[in-house]
């Protein structure tokens, strides 16, 4: 898009789904880059609306509500608050954080659908879907479980088997069951409305191909969707939670969540621009929605329906098709609307070498981070930007987090600012000294400083935030290098005027950093502003050495960053390992229960406490140990398949449970008299079942 034509920006960040809190993967993938971009635009005095909100519709929310025994509304209220608070605390500067359960959204999405319907855009199709007669409702895929036809897992879902990872159709399941009633569902006809994406294929191709500047991952994914050929896609669902389909013959149907969610950007803009007129607004409860509302500018349509508006969607790579194919097709079908100028989707962030997983609790949750690293929001913002998965998946590790804090934020940025502050207080009572004669060394620093803003701007405007941040850090490096070369602490005894110039220019560098770092580390910029007691500069001022005036009194020096100790990192790693072992326990595939037996069957078993008195490997076998056990009744030989788990010398004296009246049998030429009871976990690992304390041999187990 021709930059000179742009009058305003609409910047959207993917609507987080309200069935859980947000983690670092979300922050790195979407919200930090979007926030950097929005803050940068504001610092450049551009007209920008930064839009987000909670995505509160769809099946996972109804499932979560059912599981927790609360209503879907209670689920979304809870997470809307948690997520909204996390964003606010991390300084994500949305102009509005809206929600798709709002009346404005329901009305907007409903009107949008109706417009497409009235234009004859949709095709109607009758299909057979599973229906639960006793619950009187059609069953979304996740409401159906059954046996996986591929691996035999009895708890596969209607869309996927989590055991073997196969993608399934609900009708593939053997013995399907409704999770609502436990009954077998029946197939019943239902009508839904489809968006014929195939009819938009050529227009979409023209649109996508006019954006060869998009990131290769985004452009490539769009191309492969288009090349595979687009199919009509249902835009309605048989469900009771969501935006109701605004048609007379659509009882019990709601809009497909990916139809209504992107419209959430539009409804949020509407709410932002018109909120003063709405009587549903509750400023007290929703206080964190509004950051810098500009009441002079009303008229949401300018932000969505103008050639002079640049629309940018920040999303994760899993949402590319919805933002680059389906939503643009919806907007084309509607007419009137502007299409996105860019969709800078990030790849995924992994954590300690593994995919972040909500269900496995393999994540760093923002609300927990805030408790454990109080006041260190910018450290996380820094690390997540410096390692952002812009072009490929990337890994977050706690060791790297610590190293970047200690070696970069503390040692480079914090160190420079601290030295300038301390020296200015020490030599000039905290008053900005006058710039005296400029030497070639000074001039070189002035020239280099002047080159940064344009470089950083170019990176940000091309959505290369890692690169932009590293250039900002280079400004601090420039400052450190300047101090190291000029050594004002030595010169002060011989040439005070020279020191005046050096500290004057160093303070200018610090004031430049305050402006340039603000989009990335807003809390640090604010601290710097309070230290220098110098606000009011923005992006167009940066690059100059007139940001802070001579004679101006600076404030107290405080440390911008603190060293992070090993113990804090060890704690985080231990916490993750805890999740790992909990997962292993929770994910264990439990062997199905056996048929009931009566008490006589059980009491026929003679199980005793016995002690192992001797053990040796059975030759030419991997698994077998020959054990001598004292049963209290006698000493006898038992062959046991535990050699992979226990070494003979380790188990002498070990007490075990022994089934003593099992008919003797010969194993590898040895007569085995009884069986030692072992517990076996899902991975086939064995462990002894022993009395909880040293116990008399021969004691009966019953
Ligand atoms: Zn399976």
């Amino acid at each position: 898009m021709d930059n000179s034509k742009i009058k305003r920006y609409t910047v959207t960040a993917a609507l987080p789904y309200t069935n859980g809190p947000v983690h670092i993967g979300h922050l790195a993938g979407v919200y930090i880059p979007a926030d950097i971009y929005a803050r940068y635009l504001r610092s450049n005095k551009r007209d920008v609306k930064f839009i987000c909100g909670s995505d509160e519709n769809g099946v996972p929310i109804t499932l979560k509500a059912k599981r927790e025994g609360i209503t879907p509304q209670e689920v979304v209220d809870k997470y809307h608050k948690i997520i909204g608070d996390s964003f606010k605390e991390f300084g994500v500067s949305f102009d509005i954080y809206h929600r798709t359960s709002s009346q404005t959204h329901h009305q907007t999405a409903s009107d949008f659908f109706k417009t497409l319907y009235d234009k004859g855009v949709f095709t109607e199709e009758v299909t057979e879907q599973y229906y639960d007669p006793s619950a009187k409702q059609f069953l979304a895929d996740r409401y159906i479980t059954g046996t996986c036809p591929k691996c035999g897992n009895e708890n596969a879902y209607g869309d996927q088997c989590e055991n073997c990872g196969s993608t399934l159709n609900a009708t593939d399941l053997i013995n399907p069951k409704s999770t609502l009633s436990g009954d077998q569902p029946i197939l019943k006809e239902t009508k839904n409305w489809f968006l014929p994406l195939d009819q938009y294929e050529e227009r979409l191709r023209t649109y996508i191909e006019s954006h060869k500047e998009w990131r290769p991952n985004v452009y490539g994914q769009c191309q492969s969707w288009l090349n595979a050929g687009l199919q009509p896609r249902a835009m309605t669902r048989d469900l009771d939670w969501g935006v109701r389909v605004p048609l007379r013959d659509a009882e019990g149907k709601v809009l497909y969540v990916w139809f209504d969610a992107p419209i959430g950007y539009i409804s949020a803009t509407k709410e932002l621009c018109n909120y003063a007129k709405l009587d549903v607004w509750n400023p007290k409860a929703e206080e964190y929605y509004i950051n810098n509302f500009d009441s002079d500018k009303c008229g949401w349509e300018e932000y969505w329906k103008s050639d002079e508006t640049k629309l940018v969607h920040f999303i994760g790579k899993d949402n590319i098709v919805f933002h680059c194919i389906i939503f643009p097709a919806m907007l084309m079908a509607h007419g009137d609307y502007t299409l996105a100028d860019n969709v800078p989707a990030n790849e995924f962030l992994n954590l300690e070498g593994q995919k972040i997983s909500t269900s496995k609790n393999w994540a760093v949750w923002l609300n927990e981070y805030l408790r454990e690293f109080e006041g260190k929001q910018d450290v996380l913002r820094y690390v997540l930007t410096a390692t952002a998965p812009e072009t490929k998946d990337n890994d977050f590790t706690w060791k790297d987090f610590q190293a970047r804090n200690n070696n970069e934020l503390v040692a480079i940025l914090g160190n420079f600012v601290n030295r300038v502050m301390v020296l200015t207080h020490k030599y000039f009572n905290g008053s900005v000294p006058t710039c005296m004669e400029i030497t070639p060394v000074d001039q070189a620093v002035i020239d280099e400083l002047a080159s940064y803003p344009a470089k950083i701007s170019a990176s940000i405007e091309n959505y290369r935030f890692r690169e932009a941040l590293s250039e900002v850090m280079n400004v601090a490096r420039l400052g450190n290098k300047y101090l190291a070369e000029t050594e004002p602490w030595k010169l002060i005894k011989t040439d005070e005027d020279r020191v005046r110039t050096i500290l004057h220019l160093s303070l200018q560098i610090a004031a430049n950093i305050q402006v340039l770092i603000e989009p990335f580390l807003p809390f640090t910029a604010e601290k710097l502003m309070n230290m220098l007691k110098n606000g009011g500069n923005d992006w167009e001022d940066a690059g100059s050495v007139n940001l802070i005036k001579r004679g101006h009194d600076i404030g107290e020096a405080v440390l911008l960053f603190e060293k992070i100790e090993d113990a804090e990192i060890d704690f985080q790693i231990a916490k993750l390992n805890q999740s790992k072992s909990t997962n292993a326990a929770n994910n264990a595939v439990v062997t199905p229960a056996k048929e009931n037996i009566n008490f006589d069957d059980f009491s026929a078993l003679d199980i005793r406490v016995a002690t192992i008195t001797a053990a040796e490997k059975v030759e030419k076998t991997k698994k077998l140990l020959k054990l001598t056990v004292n049963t209290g009744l006698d000493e006898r030989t038992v062959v046991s398949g535990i050699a992979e788990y226990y070494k003979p010398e380790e188990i002498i004296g070990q007490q075990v449970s022994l089934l003593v009246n099992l008919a003797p049998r010969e194993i590898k030429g040895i007569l085995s008299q009884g069986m030692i009871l072992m517990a076996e976990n899902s991975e086939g690992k064995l462990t002894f079942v022993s009395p909880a304390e040293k116990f008399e041999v021969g004691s009966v187990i019953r």
Side-chain angles (χ1 to χ4, degrees):
M1 193 168 176
D2 177 3
N3 272 337
S4 62
K5 265 183 67 184
I6 303 168
K7 288 219 172 116
R8 65 192 79 76
Y9 293 76
T10 305
V11 178
T12 72
L15 307 186
Y17 201 62
T18 37
N19 64 343
V22 279
H23 55 61
I24 55 168
H26 300 118
L27 213 51
V30 178
Y31 304 102
I32 297 290
D35 189 52
I36 293 168
Y37 189 66
R39 283 177 178 274
Y40 162 82
L41 292 174
R42 287 189 201 115
S43 181
N44 279 278
K45 299 199 180 86
R46 314 253 184 99
D47 177 359
V48 52
K49 295 275 180 269
F50 183 21
I51 304 293
C52 194
S54 295
D55 179 1
E56 306 186 318
N57 297 321
V59 176
I61 283 163
T62 59
L63 273 174
K64 181 145 190 124
K66 197 142 286 192
R67 218 176 295 132
E68 296 189 0
I70 53 178
T71 65
Q73 190 62 48
E74 286 170 316
V75 171
V76 301
D77 285 350
K78 175 178 164 188
Y79 290 111
H80 175 67
K81 170 106 177 72
I82 292 175
I83 296 170
D85 285 350
S86 288
F87 285 146
K88 194 188 177 194
E89 300 229 39
F90 272 94
V92 180
S93 60
F94 300 130
D95 291 306
I96 183 167
Y97 189 71
H98 194 231
R99 54 194 309 190
T100 63
S101 63
S102 82
Q103 207 186 323
T104 306
H105 176 70
H106 277 243
Q107 192 61 51
T108 306
S110 182
D111 289 349
F112 198 108
F113 182 90
K114 193 69 173 30
T115 301
L116 265 53
Y117 178 84
D118 290 342
K119 286 180 142 189
V121 168
F122 296 119
T123 52
E124 295 180 6
E125 268 185 53
V126 175
T127 54
E128 284 197 321
Q129 302 266 326
Y130 274 129
Y131 180 85
D132 184 331
S134 58
K136 293 197 179 68
Q137 95 176 52
F138 281 96
L139 299 170
D141 293 340
R142 286 266 147 173
Y143 276 118
I144 307 163
T145 60
T147 302
C148 171
K150 308 237 164 81
C151 75
N153 166 28
E154 290 176 10
N155 294 310
Y157 290 108
D159 56 350
Q160 196 194 15
C161 170
E162 289 185 346
N163 189 48
C164 68
S166 306
T167 303
L168 302 171
N169 290 313
T171 46
D172 297 340
L173 293 174
I174 303 159
N175 298 324
K177 256 192 287 188
S178 161
T179 61
L180 296 176
S181 63
D183 296 346
Q184 178 157 358
I186 58 167
L187 283 168
K188 194 175 162 176
E189 287 192 337
T190 178
K191 181 164 72 176
N192 278 294
W193 286 267
F194 285 66
L195 181 63
L197 288 172
D198 45 323
Q199 291 175 22
Y200 294 86
E201 205 171 293
E202 278 322 299
R203 286 171 69 188
L204 285 166
R205 191 180 293 279
T206 307
Y207 165 58
I208 301 293
E209 287 180 354
S210 73
H211 286 293
K212 295 208 163 69
E213 78 282 8
W214 287 6
R215 288 187 181 162
N217 60 334
V218 179
Y219 189 81
Q221 227 190 82
C222 293
Q223 284 288 343
S224 68
W225 274 86
L226 289 169
N227 293 342
L230 300 177
Q231 303 296 323
R233 199 172 174 113
M235 292 293 132
T236 56
R237 289 288 187 277
D238 293 286
L239 192 70
D240 59 0
W241 177 251
V243 178
R244 296 188 55 182
V245 175
L247 300 174
R248 214 169 286 147
D249 54 344
E251 192 63 32
K253 293 178 204 294
V254 296
L255 301 183
Y256 172 43
V257 67
W258 273 113
F259 184 85
D260 94 72
I263 295 174
Y265 302 137
I266 299 169
S267 52
T269 313
K270 241 187 214 182
E271 182 107 354
L272 173 64
C273 291
N274 294 323
Y275 94 103
K277 299 179 198 160
L278 289 172
D279 50 11
V280 293
W281 186 258
N282 179 349
K284 205 171 169 207
E286 319 289 6
E287 177 266 326
Y288 61 77
Y289 280 10
I290 294 290
N291 261 293
N292 57 350
F293 178 70
D294 182 357
S295 58
D296 291 332
K297 295 228 173 62
C298 241
W300 67 274
E301 286 176 309
E302 284 188 349
Y303 292 90
W304 283 94
K305 298 182 175 180
S306 161
D307 290 346
E308 296 167 336
T309 298
K310 181 161 166 168
L311 172 63
V312 182
H313 296 307
F314 284 86
I315 58 168
K317 72 170 165 187
D318 48 340
N319 289 342
I320 291 173
V321 64
F322 302 111
H323 286 79
C324 300
I325 304 280
I326 298 175
F327 188 43
M330 287 163 56
L331 296 175
M332 286 170 182
H334 190 287
D336 307 349
Y337 280 87
T338 311
L339 302 180
D341 185 65
N342 209 315
V343 186
N346 270 350
E347 299 288 293
F348 287 147
L349 184 74
N350 295 323
L351 171 60
E352 300 285 353
Q354 285 182 43
K355 207 177 160 202
I356 293 179
S357 162
T358 301
S359 59
K360 292 180 181 159
N361 198 26
W362 190 259
V364 177
W365 302 103
L366 299 189
N367 46 347
E368 291 183 11
Y369 177 93
L370 285 167
R371 270 203 309 273
E372 288 153 7
F373 291 99
E374 215 190 321
K376 292 193 168 64
Q377 287 93 323
D378 272 355
V379 179
L380 192 59
R381 286 182 67 118
Y382 179 81
V383 175
L384 294 180
T385 306
T387 62
E390 288 178 358
T391 52
K392 59 177 173 49
D393 288 358
N394 215 339
D395 200 24
F396 176 93
T397 71
W398 281 110
K399 287 282 176 208
D400 179 63
F401 169 85
Q402 181 188 28
R404 286 185 187 274
N405 178 76
N406 294 356
N407 306 339
E408 296 172 21
L409 290 177
V410 174
I412 298 169
L413 180 52
N415 180 43
F416 170 66
V417 169
N418 192 252
R419 286 203 286 177
V420 177
M421 294 294 297
V422 167
L423 295 177
T424 304
H425 277 289
K426 194 167 165 191
Y427 303 148
F428 304 109
N429 291 321
S431 174
V432 177
T434 306
C435 185
M436 312 299 281
E437 197 186 333
I438 297 283
T439 67
V441 173
D442 304 330
Q443 193 57 51
V445 168
I446 293 168
D447 293 345
E448 190 180 335
L449 180 64
S451 73
Y452 279 105
K455 247 191 275 186
I456 298 164
S457 291
S459 299
I460 293 177
E461 301 221 12
N462 287 300
Y463 313 101
R464 295 197 299 262
F465 303 108
R466 286 173 80 147
E467 184 183 277
L469 178 59
S470 93
E471 292 294 349
V472 179
M473 290 302 283
N474 283 339
V475 180
R477 286 190 178 92
L478 173 68
N480 278 324
K481 187 166 149 257
Y482 181 48
L483 288 179
E485 278 173 8
T486 54
E487 299 184 305
W489 45 89
K490 286 187 181 164
L491 288 175
I492 190 69
K493 291 172 198 127
T494 54
D495 191 351
E496 196 178 306
D497 275 358
R498 183 75 196 113
V499 176
R500 283 178 200 282
T501 305
I502 294 165
L503 285 183
H504 179 92
L505 291 178
S506 297
L507 283 160
Q508 301 297 343
I509 295 175
N512 270 277
I513 291 173
Q514 181 193 319
V515 174
L516 297 175
I517 205 133
E518 192 274 342
F520 305 89
L521 311 182
F523 300 96
T524 303
E526 199 183 334
K527 271 193 198 170
L528 251 171
M529 183 179 78
N530 293 332
M531 267 200 257
L532 296 173
K533 287 193 183 160
N534 196 49
N537 292 310
D538 48 34
W539 204 269
E540 68 178 9
D541 306 307
S544 95
V545 288
N546 293 312
L547 297 196
I548 187 162
K549 301 280 169 280
R550 70 186 162 101
H552 168 81
D553 286 324
I554 60 170
E556 286 299 303
V558 292
L559 290 181
L560 283 180
F561 305 100
E562 292 162 19
K563 214 174 154 211
I564 291 174
E565 303 296 338
D566 288 347
E568 296 172 76
I569 296 306
D570 293 344
F571 171 79
Q572 293 299 331
I573 293 171
K575 209 164 104 178
L576 280 174
N577 287 335
Q578 180 66 40
S579 308
K580 201 184 263 179
S581 49
T582 310
N583 287 331
N586 290 345
N587 291 348
V589 180
V590 176
T591 310
K594 296 177 185 170
E595 294 283 308
N596 284 347
I597 58 166
N598 58 41
F599 186 72
D600 289 344
D601 293 335
F602 174 69
S603 45
L605 303 172
D606 191 348
I607 308 171
R608 305 287 180 124
V609 174
T611 300
I612 299 172
T613 56
E616 61 183 274
K617 287 203 79 165
V618 177
E619 280 188 25
K620 292 178 195 154
T621 70
K622 261 196 208 157
K623 291 186 175 176
L624 299 180
L625 291 185
K626 179 185 168 192
L627 307 173
T628 308
V629 292
N630 178 358
T631 65
L633 307 162
D634 50 28
E635 282 235 322
R636 58 170 85 181
T637 299
V638 175
V639 176
S640 185
I642 57 174
E644 287 174 301
Y645 302 100
Y646 295 102
K647 289 190 180 126
E649 61 272 20
E650 286 171 357
I651 56 172
I652 311 295
Q654 171 74 46
Q655 290 208 306
V656 297
S657 308
L658 183 74
L659 179 61
V660 294
N661 63 338
L662 185 68
R665 62 185 180 127
E666 208 180 276
I667 301 171
K668 297 276 167 195
I670 304 162
L671 190 67
S672 179
Q673 300 169 285
M675 188 170 76
I676 293 174
L677 304 189
M678 304 298 294
E680 181 178 9
N681 75 4
S682 59
E683 291 161 356
K685 189 184 166 192
L686 300 176
T687 188
F688 290 119
V689 180
S690 307
E693 55 181 282
K694 253 309 185 225
F695 227 59
E696 200 181 312
V697 289
S699 298
V700 174
I701 295 172
R702 55 184 188 197

